[in-house]
Amino acid sequence: MNAIKQTRKVVRYRGDVQGVGFRANAIHQGRGLNIKGFVRNEPDGDVLLDVQGPTNDLKELLRRIGSSMERKINEILIDEREPLPDREKFSIRY
């Protein structure tokens, strides 16, 4: 049986994204998806999402976050990276 290809994306959300429940919302939107990684506030006011999993699950997570927080997001920067082997869950980092 073939393993499902893992994809990793590092996404930077810019706009009014801190202090509005963005991180908790991202965790909520990830429920039911096979994803691992983290979301955290950055010192410059952005929110960074570093997540990996099957491509379709990542697309769905980004769609859900974008839809639920669209009024707060001014810009989204997405970078694809190599998956990391030591990821265990999707959580908020402080």
Side-chain angles (χ1 to χ4, degrees):
M1 188 171 189
N2 291 341
I4 296 173
K5 182 179 184 300
Q6 296 284 302
T7 302
R8 177 177 170 218
K9 296 202 183 278
V10 177
V11 184
R12 183 172 289 273
Y13 292 96
R14 293 189 168 152
D16 184 22
V17 293
Q18 288 191 16
V20 294
F22 196 101
R23 293 173 298 164
N25 179 65
I27 297 298
H28 176 75
Q29 299 303 334
R31 288 191 181 137
L33 300 175
N34 183 18
I35 55 171
K36 299 174 183 177
F38 65 88
V39 60
R40 73 174 177 220
N41 285 343
E42 294 290 281
D44 62 4
D46 293 351
V47 170
L48 184 77
L49 176 74
D50 187 334
V51 68
Q52 66 190 52
T55 302
N56 287 340
D57 284 357
L58 291 185
K59 285 181 183 178
E60 179 61 14
L61 175 65
L62 298 183
R63 185 197 69 73
R64 290 177 184 181
I65 292 173
S67 176
S68 64
M69 300 300 286
E70 68 181 329
R71 291 185 178 147
K72 302 295 182 185
I73 300 168
N74 293 339
E75 184 178 14
I76 303 172
L77 304 171
I78 302 174
D79 186 23
E80 192 160 324
R81 306 232 179 119
E82 286 296 315
L84 300 173
D86 59 348
R87 297 262 167 106
E88 296 181 7
K89 62 182 179 176
F90 181 45
S91 62
I92 295 174
R93 280 201 186 159
Y94 296 92

